[in-house]
Amino acid sequence: MIRIGTRGSKLALRQAALVQEALEKIDSHLATELVILHTRGDKIQDRPLYEIGEKGVFASEFEQALLHGEIDLAIHSAKDLPMQLADGLTICATPKRADVRDVLVVPKGGRTPLSRGKVQAGCKRPGMAADAWQEQDASQKVSPLLRIGSGSRRRQMLAAMAWENVICEEIRGNVDTRLGKLKAGGYDGILLAKAGLDRLGIGLDQEQVFDFYPLSTKLFLPAACQGIIAVEAVQGSEAAKICRKMTDLETELCYLIEREVLRQLSADCSEAVAAWCRTAPCVTDRLLLDVMYAGNRVSLTCPASVEEGRQLAWQAAQMVKGA
């Protein structure tokens, strides 16, 4: 029996179920059980995450449960992991990465932000990127400010850089809670990760209520490890060995390099930082790495290897810090 620790939100349960399904493909006779844990981050809902220690607030209870033998695996959204894992623990699997993009969600037919001098005219289906832009009519007056819900410093900064008529306000809660707040009129729009929406199937049955605008990575560079599920276990455990078989090697490589960027920047939850590593189009033996820190952004490339990627992460970190 492999006991899988997870938070209790719909998204967390869905991510844990994906790991369960992967384990069943490895060994159809393998028994698994979900163990729901309630973290400090789940319990404190009246403060922004960066005020209560965002990068460890969803992980520390899971790590203690692993070390005390209460669970065999812990399932995390990789972007929420602290920089240092507890001694004796390891990330034993990174299944294939999902869509890295952010998504702007607004009420059906609602107003969308104005880009710096342009109006967004993206398709309203969540599977299609809103990368097309139309010039704003010169006679059109600037719209009133839109209240966009996001607790992410990265998203707040990028929204201010990309759009001229928005103000970002803090928002907490799981995906359903945030959509409920949007529907109730608490915000004019909210920013969410497309990976989470896709895993929950939201968009397929919500298009009569909301409009979904996937945002170009050229404007909204994703958080480091966004879209990656990280499976944590005790080093050398049988569960860790089994889970290793579900690792997607490209995802693992990008996970390691993006985490190295954070390490080189000594980045914590109070800073606006982004990193996105991927293989170059049509050139699978090379990596592309985009890094943003404090508004500075660089794009670099290197051969596809952990050693070269770590060096690239160091180089990118030096460039954005020195810009």
Side-chain angles (χ1 to χ4, degrees), residues 35-50:
V35 179
I36 297 176
L37 299 179
H38 299 285
T39 70
R40 181 165 170 259
D42 296 313
K43 297 170 185 175
I44 301 175
Q45 291 289 321
D46 60 348
R47 282 184 284 162
L49 285 175
Y50 59 80

Side-chain angles (χ1 to χ4, degrees), residues 43-194:
K43 297 170 185 175
I44 301 175
Q45 291 289 321
D46 60 348
R47 282 184 284 162
L49 285 175
Y50 59 80
E51 290 187 3
I52 56 176
E54 179 183 4
K55 286 296 179 183
V57 76
F58 293 124
S60 58
E61 285 91 340
F62 287 94
E63 294 196 325
Q64 290 303 309
L66 284 168
L67 292 170
H68 292 155
E70 298 167 7
I71 57 175
D72 302 298
L73 301 175
I75 311 304
H76 305 284
S77 292
K79 67 183 180 67
D80 294 330
L81 284 171
M83 280 312 304
Q84 291 292 332
L85 302 182
D87 290 343
L89 301 181
T90 184
I91 298 302
C92 60
T94 50
K96 188 173 179 60
R97 190 176 207 165
D99 198 320
V100 301
R101 290 175 295 173
D102 291 313
V103 176
L104 172 67
V105 187
V106 301
K108 190 69 178 177
R111 292 187 301 138
T112 56
L114 301 178
S115 74
R116 294 292 174 182
K118 298 179 182 180
V119 178
Q120 185 171 359
C123 185
K124 296 181 180 180
R125 293 215 298 267
M128 301 180 68
D131 294 338
W133 304 84
Q134 292 179 340
E135 293 292 341
Q136 181 181 0
D137 188 328
S139 65
Q140 182 178 341
K141 295 181 179 180
V142 176
S143 300
L145 288 178
L146 294 173
R147 293 166 301 128
I148 303 297
S150 175
S152 161
R153 292 289 181 88
R154 174 188 62 87
R155 287 173 177 154
Q156 291 171 359
M157 189 190 73
L158 290 173
M161 292 171 63
W163 299 324
E164 64 182 31
N165 65 327
V166 303
I167 181 170
C168 286
E169 299 180 353
E170 294 292 334
I171 188 171
R172 288 292 310 279
N174 59 39
V175 173
D176 283 337
T177 298
R178 297 185 189 202
L179 289 173
K181 291 178 180 180
L182 176 61
K183 185 177 180 180
Y187 303 87
D188 298 303
I190 59 176
L191 291 167
L192 297 171
K194 191 171 189 300

Side-chain angles (χ1 to χ4, degrees), residues 283-305:
V283 189
T284 57
D285 61 347
R286 291 196 69 80
L287 295 174
L288 298 178
L289 176 64
D290 284 270
V291 173
M292 182 200 71
Y293 178 75
N296 302 317
R297 179 168 174 168
V298 297
S299 298
L300 302 173
T301 183
C302 74
S305 74

Side-chain angles (χ1 to χ4, degrees), residues 10-30:
K10 286 184 179 179
L11 178 56
L13 290 170
R14 178 56 189 151
Q15 292 180 161
L18 291 172
V19 172
Q20 275 187 307
E21 293 167 11
L23 287 170
E24 289 175 2
K25 290 181 180 179
I26 294 170
D27 183 351
S28 60
H29 299 293
L30 190 63

